[in-house]
Amino acid sequence: MKERFNLYKHIMNGLSYTLPLVVAGGLLIAMTTYGFFSDQFPYLHDTGLQLLEYTYPILACYIAYSIADRPGIAPGIIAGALAYTGESYFLGAILGGFAAGYTIEIIKWLFSKWPKSMTSLKPMLIFPLLGVLLTSIIMIGINFVMSPFSLWLIEAMTNLSGIALIITCLILGALMAFDLGGPINKIAFLIGLISVVHVHDSIMMAAVMVAGMTPPLAIALSLMIFQRDFSEVEIKQRKQTLLMGLSFITEGAVPFVKTYKKVIHIPMIIGSMFGAFMVAMLQTTLPAPHGGIFILLWTPSWQTFLLALASGAALSTLLIKLSMMIVKRKPSPTPTQS
């Protein structure tokens, strides 16, 4: 029963299925705008835009599926589609996915006492029909409430500049390194994801990716340069940690934070914030929400992306060394005499 109300789990389930669409759609748009397909194959650009539009029904569908299993698919799809046409977009799709899933759960409960002879009607007729009908009605209210806020959010993302952009990127950088792949990290990632879908070439997504890559890269650099500060077992993990950093897998830094705690965690947060700050200052953009170093082929500002990433990782690495030196210099407590 607790799993039914695990909101974070359901949202992450929806995002995991949505992410490939946004990555493929964003890269197709970038390839037909900046890459070797530019000015050719215009249908590829349209395909990318279509994929981004599909993110809403897929997101809502798999949130509902996570809650209610297969009966939640049809109501979830219609919830996401109506969120798109009703201009409540991501926020509407998320709320619609939950509405669809829990609506199906209520319908299951209401029809749980039906005779066994009529059981086959439930998955084929009753669940999809009532689920879609009730979810469609609920979406009228969701769109009415969320559409103005979603439109304001999109406009704010599109027109963000100056000090406001710098502050936003700094906050996103801190959130990405705060729990290294946990719920707070995913909030920042979701903001970057939304910005890619609506802005395409997104500074916020670039800030999120640089900030997320910085912690494992800083650990990998520390393991290579300052080997005396780490055990032999940890040093052997440097290549794996480096690959995770280059691939935008922030969780690569988690084992080291568990071992050294704030000694390396605070330098990571500062480095991620600095990398995100450099993104804002250099006006670096990204067309896709994942892929790390491997999507730079279709990134128009790949030079500034690498500069921002190197700046954040270098600062974090130096601060990790400094922090460890300070901790090691602290005198051990004097034992009390009995």
Side-chain angles (χ1 to χ4, degrees):
M1 179 60 71
K2 289 183 179 180
E3 287 295 310
R4 298 295 184 195
F5 297 97
N6 189 337
L7 305 186
Y8 175 73
K9 170 183 173 290
H10 301 320
I11 292 177
M12 288 302 105
N13 188 72
L15 286 177
S16 67
Y17 285 98
T18 302
L19 191 58
L21 275 73
V22 183
V23 172
L27 288 179
L28 280 176
I29 292 172
M31 288 165 61
T32 52
T33 304
Y34 309 108
F36 41 80
F37 289 131
S38 58
D39 299 325
Q40 302 175 28
F41 307 111
Y43 71 91
L44 289 180
H45 187 273
D46 295 338
T47 300
L49 293 174
Q50 193 72 60
L51 280 170
L52 295 184
E53 292 178 5
Y54 286 156
T55 58
Y56 307 104
I58 293 298
L59 174 61
C61 165
Y62 281 101
I63 289 175
Y65 175 80
S66 180
I67 297 168
D69 210 357
R70 289 171 63 182
I73 290 176
I77 289 174
I78 197 62
L82 291 174
Y84 176 69
T85 58
E87 297 184 329
S88 61
Y89 298 118
F90 262 92
L91 299 178
I94 291 172
L95 292 177
F98 282 112
Y102 290 124
T103 296
I104 288 294
E105 287 295 286
I106 293 171
I107 293 172
K108 286 181 180 178
W109 176 75
L110 290 174
F111 287 88
S112 60
K113 302 300 183 181
W114 263 38
K116 291 184 178 180
S117 59
M118 303 184 70
T119 300
S120 61
L121 287 176
K122 290 193 288 188
M124 297 302 296
L125 177 62
I126 294 170
F127 291 163
L129 177 60
L130 289 182
V132 167
L133 178 63
L134 294 175
T135 300
S136 300
I137 295 172
I138 293 170
M139 285 304 299
I140 296 173
I142 290 176
N143 285 337
F144 178 79
V145 174
M146 300 308 300
S147 177
F149 182 70
S150 293
L151 292 172
W152 169 83
L153 183 63
I154 292 168
E155 184 178 358
M157 286 182 174
T158 304
N159 299 321
L160 201 61
S161 60
I163 297 297
L165 176 63
I166 293 172
I167 294 173
T168 300
C169 288
L170 284 170
I171 294 172
L172 291 173
L175 294 179
M176 285 300 294
F178 184 80
D179 57 358
L180 302 169
I184 295 175
N185 170 284
K186 290 300 187 291
I187 291 173
F189 177 75
L190 179 59
I191 293 171
L193 180 69
I194 293 172
S195 70
V196 167
V197 172
H198 293 292
V199 183
H200 302 334
D201 287 330
S202 170
I203 294 177
M204 282 186 284
M205 189 64 242
V208 165
M209 193 173 293
V210 164
M213 295 170 69
T214 293
L217 287 179
I219 289 294
L221 288 173
S222 299
L223 292 172
M224 295 175 187
I225 301 172
F226 307 118
Q227 295 188 7
R228 293 183 179 180
D229 294 325
F230 300 94
S231 68
E232 291 186 9
V233 174
E234 290 170 334
I235 293 171
K236 290 180 180 179
Q237 299 178 40
R238 61 187 185 274
K239 292 183 180 179
Q240 177 185 351
T241 307
L242 176 64
L243 182 59
M244 295 178 77
L246 293 175
S247 304
F248 185 39
I249 302 175
T250 314
E251 290 85 346
V254 170
F256 297 89
V257 171
K258 286 183 177 179
T259 301
Y260 297 97
K261 302 189 184 318
K262 64 181 180 181
V263 175
I264 66 171
H265 195 190
I266 293 175
M268 285 179 183
I269 294 174
I270 295 172
S272 291
M273 292 178 68
F274 184 66
F277 168 79
M278 290 295 292
V279 165
M281 294 299 294
L282 297 170
Q283 296 288 292
T284 302
T285 63
L286 276 184
H290 220 292
I293 205 78
F294 304 104
I295 66 167
L296 294 189
L297 179 62
W298 297 285
T299 303
S301 49
W302 62 269
Q303 300 98 328
T304 56
F305 182 92
L306 290 177
L307 178 57
L309 180 62
S311 300
L315 177 62
S316 188
T317 302
L318 292 174
L319 291 177
I320 287 173
K321 176 60 178 177
L322 180 61
S323 180
M324 285 189 161
M325 289 174 61
I326 292 172
V327 170
K328 289 180 179 180
R329 286 176 182 174
K330 285 184 177 180
S332 57
T334 304
T336 55
Q337 295 181 349
S338 56

